Amino acid sequence: MLPDHIVIQSGPEALLKTFLSSQSFTKVAVIADEHTLLHCYPLLEKALPRHEMIVIPAGEEHKNLDTCILIWQKLTDLAFDRSSLLLGLGGGVVGDMGGFCAATFKRGIHFLLMPTTLLAQADASIGGKTGIDFQYYKNQIGVFQEPIAILMATDFLKTLPLLELRSGFAEVIKHSMISDQVMWEEISARSFNEQNWAALILHSASFKYSIVKKDPTEKGLRKILNFGHTLGHALESYLLGKGNRIFHGEAVAVGMIAESFIANQKGLLNAPDLERISRYIISVFSKIQLPTYRELIPIILQDKKNRGAKILMALPKGIGSAVWDIPVSEEEIKASLEYYSSR
Ligand SMILES: NC(=O)c1ccc[n+]([C@@H]2O[C@H](COP(=O)([O-])OP(=O)(O)OC[C@H]3O[C@@H](n4cnc5c(N)ncnc54)[C@H](O)[C@@H]3O)[C@@H](O)[C@H]2O)c1
Ligand SMILES: [Zn+2]
């Protein structure tokens, strides 16, 4: 179940109109990137009162302090105050950075989030994490700050590039695997093209909300959301360092297979389930040539989730639940990468 301030509907215009009818703001600005300006803004423009536009370049490489300076400068020029509204229209980058700039400008102005990617609707928009990358570190600077509302319009997904949609699908698969066996069965019985996105977004967002409500600052339970991400992040960072971009979801897909193998080795996941998980994920995401484990281990040792020199992972416990802070050895990681490569 979602709280009242998180709403999912098909059309953005009606959604925004309803929200604005019960609110009043001194000023309104929309922050969009160059793609959401083109594809998403026209879908809600008519529902907006008089407003200003803040347009930022698209892409993770712009989720940094330089772009924040542009945003804060614009808010200053526009004389925004604490009764003003910044509306974030975009994927996880606009959401994280727009939310961060709003939370820190004059110690906090209202931020309304309208996520436009599957990843942002099913995952990133929920949980109040905002922030930017700093030097080579992802999400190094940030604060926890909830938007005043999150309005999810599934119509936005119609223009989302297919590879972006598939990348977000990895998080949807992850959420089902660690929370709901029935949902996992439903998802894995259909191909990527046959999924019912509205139902999956509702399920994923509701699940994430239920977890972050119980553990907002990731002291324990919230760590289960990191399933697939220890190896996934390491692979993503490694390839980024080599100048080879990989979609986040593709890396998480590899991570989910390898980490499911580790769960199997530890007696947490039976062999038929491991087989079903691996087969389905590989059917959706193409296979990736992995670096050697020696290349990945130093990156894995840097993971925020570790304690001291111990590598800790969130692992599935059967399909439909998960455990966290499970120590994993370098040998287990090596074997898991070999398992993935042998598939
Ligand atoms: N705050 C959190 O809890 C959390 C969780 C997961 C990920 N994230 C962050 O989210 C970011 C990734 O989010 P993302 O995958 O949404 O990336 P993104 O915001 O870069 O969007 C992906 C691309 O799709 C384009 N786009 C967005 N919506 C579109 C639409 N409807 N039609 C056409 N094009 C569209 C964007 O312009 C961009 O080029 C990362 O920075 C990650 O760190 C945050
Ligand atoms: Zn992720």
Side-chain angles (χ1 to χ4, degrees):
M1 278 291 287
L2 288 170
D4 290 347
H5 75 285
I6 307 178
V7 191
I8 306 177
Q9 265 177 35
S10 47
E13 205 174 285
L15 203 52
L16 183 59
K17 233 182 218 158
T18 309
F19 170 80
L20 290 172
S21 67
S22 62
Q23 307 276 338
S24 95
F25 302 102
T26 48
K27 291 180 179 175
V28 176
V30 175
I31 177 167
D33 70 25
E34 53 207 349
H35 301 143
T36 59
L37 174 69
L38 193 68
H39 298 294
C40 305
Y41 177 68
L43 271 60
L44 53 68
E45 195 180 353
K46 283 205 210 95
L48 282 163
R50 220 162 68 89
H51 60 278
E52 301 284 341
M53 289 303 298
I54 303 176
V55 181
I56 58 172
E60 182 74 25
E61 62 275 28
H62 299 288
K63 189 177 145 183
N64 58 28
L65 205 50
D66 292 340
T67 313
C68 290
I69 290 170
L70 296 178
I71 298 167
W72 287 319
Q73 184 64 58
K74 191 83 192 255
L75 294 174
T76 303
D77 294 344
L78 296 171
F80 261 48
D81 59 38
R82 284 191 186 160
S83 305
S84 306
L85 175 74
L86 184 63
L87 188 169
L89 181 67
V93 168
V94 167
D96 279 12
M97 186 160 48
F100 174 67
C101 288
T104 46
F105 186 76
K106 297 190 177 170
R107 297 198 184 86
I109 59 170
H110 299 297
F111 186 62
L112 168 66
L113 186 51
M114 295 191 74
T116 62
T117 62
L118 177 61
L119 185 132
Q121 296 187 349
D123 182 354
S125 63
I126 311 282
K129 281 186 185 173
T130 73
I132 53 167
D133 305 333
F134 183 62
Q135 292 166 354
Y136 293 106
Y137 301 98
K138 247 183 88 97
N139 302 324
Q140 182 83 340
I141 314 279
V143 296
F144 280 98
Q145 179 70 60
E146 281 283 343
I148 53 172
I150 304 166
L151 309 180
M152 307 200 195
T154 51
D155 281 359
F156 286 141
L157 301 185
K158 290 177 184 164
T159 56
L160 189 65
L162 217 59
L163 289 177
E164 297 286 357
L165 190 72
R166 197 180 64 162
S167 178
F169 186 39
E171 306 288 357
V172 171
I173 294 175
K174 178 195 80 177
H175 284 166
S176 76
M177 271 187 66
I178 61 177
S179 74
D180 187 338
Q181 180 167 16
V182 175
M183 192 47 126
W184 155 259
E185 302 291 349
E186 273 177 35
I187 291 174
S188 59
R190 295 169 186 229
S191 72
F192 170 60
N193 295 322
E194 295 165 339
Q195 300 294 331
N196 175 351
W197 298 118
L200 295 185
I201 289 162
L202 176 62
H203 182 271
S204 256
S206 304
F207 165 64
K208 183 162 178 193
Y209 182 77
S210 72
I211 296 292
V212 300
K213 196 162 176 250
K214 287 184 202 137
D215 178 18
T217 52
E218 207 164 313
K219 300 276 187 292
L221 179 67
R222 187 170 180 166
K223 294 182 188 173
I224 64 171
L225 300 173
N226 294 322
F227 166 54
H229 282 65
T230 303
L231 288 168
H233 271 154
L235 179 62
E236 210 177 351
S237 304
Y238 174 83
L239 291 176
L240 201 66
K242 296 274 169 221
N244 289 335
R245 192 188 165 216
I246 181 175
F247 283 90
H248 176 69
E250 286 180 290
V252 171
V254 175
M256 288 194 290
I257 293 174
E259 294 179 17
S260 294
F261 173 82
I262 294 172
N264 167 258
Q265 298 296 293
K266 289 184 177 296
L268 294 164
L269 187 72
N270 66 37
D273 282 346
L274 171 65
E275 177 57 31
R276 288 192 312 141
I277 290 163
S278 304
R279 201 172 331 120
Y280 184 67
I281 295 178
I282 289 171
S283 76
V284 175
F285 296 88
S286 40
K287 247 181 108 197
I288 285 162
Q289 179 83 35
L290 294 187
T292 65
Y293 104 103
R294 278 182 213 290
E295 289 167 308
L296 286 182
I297 286 290
I299 310 175
I300 292 171
L301 287 169
Q302 291 285 332
D303 196 289
K304 287 193 200 95
K305 301 178 285 296
N306 297 339
R307 203 176 304 129
K310 248 194 193 156
I311 299 168
L312 299 178
M313 282 189 189
L315 297 174
K317 187 163 179 258
I319 296 182
S321 68
V323 284
W324 67 90
D325 280 353
I326 307 298
V328 173
S329 68
E330 294 189 17
E331 289 67 37
E332 286 169 311
I333 291 174
K334 182 167 183 264
S336 75
L337 299 176
E338 284 165 4
Y339 169 77
Y340 174 85
S341 299
S342 73
R343 294 288 318 190

